[in-house]
Amino acid sequence: FNSTKKFKCPECQKLFSTNGNLKCHFQNIHLNNKPFTCEICGKKYPLLKRLEIHIRTHSGTKPFTCNICDSSFNEKGNLITHLKTHQKERPYICSFCNKGYKTKRHLKDHVEICHLKIKKFKCELCGTCFARKSRLKIHLMIHTNIKPFLCNICLKRFREKSNLNFH
């Protein structure tokens, strides 16, 4: 799959498919040069284009729509990745268990979570670590006592939809 990635970072040897991606990587990782700042949240970016894409997260603008299921995305790369979910092929194979994945990202997540047991999402309040961001988000509700899922019959509240369904 690296045959389409012909732009090599002179610092770390990582390969990129476009010179723009290489430039962004180099400025962001090796130079930490981020001159463009979001006026809404203060997040900084090495390229104006990346800032413009980021601003869409605040406005909710999602100009890239899947022609199969009508899901919308704030950047073209996310749409391209999403389109792979509609394919049957699973070309990214786990070297531990031979399970196939449609995207490199899904394979990487699988290996980190299932085989390497990496827990990179840490609760800032109690220090508990989680493999998935979604689990941390649910965990944070313990500290705030938020229970967003309501049983319409008995009015009991739950932190997770699965617990409401089981109830």
Side-chain angles (χ1 to χ4, degrees):
F1 293 101
N2 283 345
S3 60
T4 59
K5 296 183 176 185
K6 34 189 168 190
F7 299 91
K8 187 187 281 189
C9 175
E11 191 78 24
C12 68
Q13 313 310 308
K14 187 170 180 180
L15 294 169
F16 296 89
S17 55
T18 68
N19 193 40
N21 288 346
L22 168 59
K23 182 179 176 185
C24 183
H25 159 82
F26 193 81
Q27 288 182 340
N28 194 5
I29 302 301
H30 303 298
L31 297 179
N32 201 22
N33 181 15
K34 300 177 183 177
F36 302 99
T37 305
C38 175
E39 293 179 1
I40 298 167
C41 70
K43 196 166 182 182
K44 296 177 177 275
Y45 291 90
L47 300 173
L48 180 59
K49 181 175 176 111
R50 295 306 307 164
L51 173 61
E52 290 169 350
I53 291 168
H54 164 78
I55 288 172
R56 291 182 196 149
T57 63
H58 295 298
S59 68
T61 305
K62 295 181 177 181
F64 302 96
T65 304
C66 175
N67 59 1
I68 298 169
C69 71
D70 289 334
S71 292
S72 296
F73 302 90
N74 67 336
E75 71 181 282
K76 188 176 182 178
N78 293 342
L79 171 60
I80 291 168
T81 299
H82 165 79
L83 287 171
K84 292 178 182 178
T85 65
H86 295 296
Q87 299 173 175
K88 291 187 179 181
E89 302 91 41
R90 294 174 180 261
Y92 302 97
I93 307 300
C94 175
S95 59
F96 292 95
C97 67
N98 291 324
K99 190 171 180 183
Y101 290 88
K102 294 177 182 182
T103 68
K104 272 193 227 181
R105 181 75 211 160
H106 290 146
L107 171 60
K108 183 177 185 274
D109 288 345
H110 162 76
V111 170
E112 287 180 355
I113 292 167
C114 297
H115 301 295
L116 302 179
K117 307 295 184 196
I118 294 173
K119 295 181 177 183
K120 57 186 172 187
F121 301 99
K122 184 176 182 179
C123 175
E124 297 296 323
L125 298 170
C126 70
T128 305
C129 295
F130 299 89
R132 296 186 191 322
K133 190 176 185 178
S134 59
R135 296 307 304 167
L136 171 59
K137 190 175 177 183
I138 291 166
H139 165 81
L140 287 171
M141 291 181 201
I142 291 170
H143 298 296
T144 59
N145 205 28
I146 293 173
K147 295 180 179 180
F149 300 100
L150 175 69
C151 173
N152 291 329
I153 298 167
C154 72
L155 304 181
K156 184 174 179 175
R157 293 189 160 276
F158 299 89
R159 282 188 191 94
E160 298 180 55
K161 189 173 185 178
S162 61
N163 291 340
L164 170 61
N165 292 340
F166 181 76
H167 164 76

